Amino acid sequence: DVQPVESGGGSVQTGGSLTLTCAATGFTLRSYCMGWFRQAPGNECELVSTIASDGSTYYADSVQGRFTISQENAENTMYLQMNSLKPEDTAVYYCAALSIPSLWCGGQGTQVTVS
């Protein structure tokens, strides 16, 4: 089962920061190209950032320069550091392997609210 668990969301003011955590059990994160996704009410699932097995990263234009994705292999954990948060970043955030589209916004997620 390649279903990680997200945590770290919360409510912050515009300009604030949060760090999201994606913890994997039963599989090794670095074996997959992993991504952070988000979905706001009424919107489609949106790709935010990815990190490949070789450490290469991708960021959506909307978060480039503000968000940083990273992975701690020893802890089998992935992070998303989010700075300079904006109200439009408000969404439920999910982590998933890019190779399993059905799970992109299909886990429990963690709510991020920016006001």
Side-chain angles (χ1 to χ4, degrees), residues 33-38 45-71 78-81 98 104:
C33 183
M34 296 295 297
W36 284 99
F37 302 81
R38 66 186 181 187
C45 186
E46 175 189 11
L47 176 62
V48 174
S49 180
T50 67
I51 184 165
S53 299
D54 64 359
S56 58
T57 59
Y58 159 85
Y59 297 94
D61 289 344
S62 58
V63 307
Q64 179 74 48
R66 300 188 296 122
F67 290 11
T68 302
I69 191 170
S70 63
Q71 199 163 295
M78 180 174 70
Y79 303 96
L80 186 68
Q81 173 68 45
L98 266 67
W104 288 354

Side-chain angles (χ1 to χ4, degrees), residues 60-105:
D61 289 344
S62 58
V63 307
Q64 179 74 48
R66 300 188 296 122
F67 290 11
T68 302
I69 191 170
S70 63
Q71 199 163 295
E72 176 53 61
N73 293 331
E75 297 177 357
N76 206 23
T77 303
M78 180 174 70
Y79 303 96
L80 186 68
Q81 173 68 45
M82 305 186 296
N83 298 326
S84 303
L85 283 163
K86 305 175 181 179
E88 50 263 45
D89 294 318
T90 295
V92 179
Y93 284 70
Y94 305 85
C95 62
L98 266 67
S99 58
I100 310 177
S102 63
L103 296 182
W104 288 354
C105 287

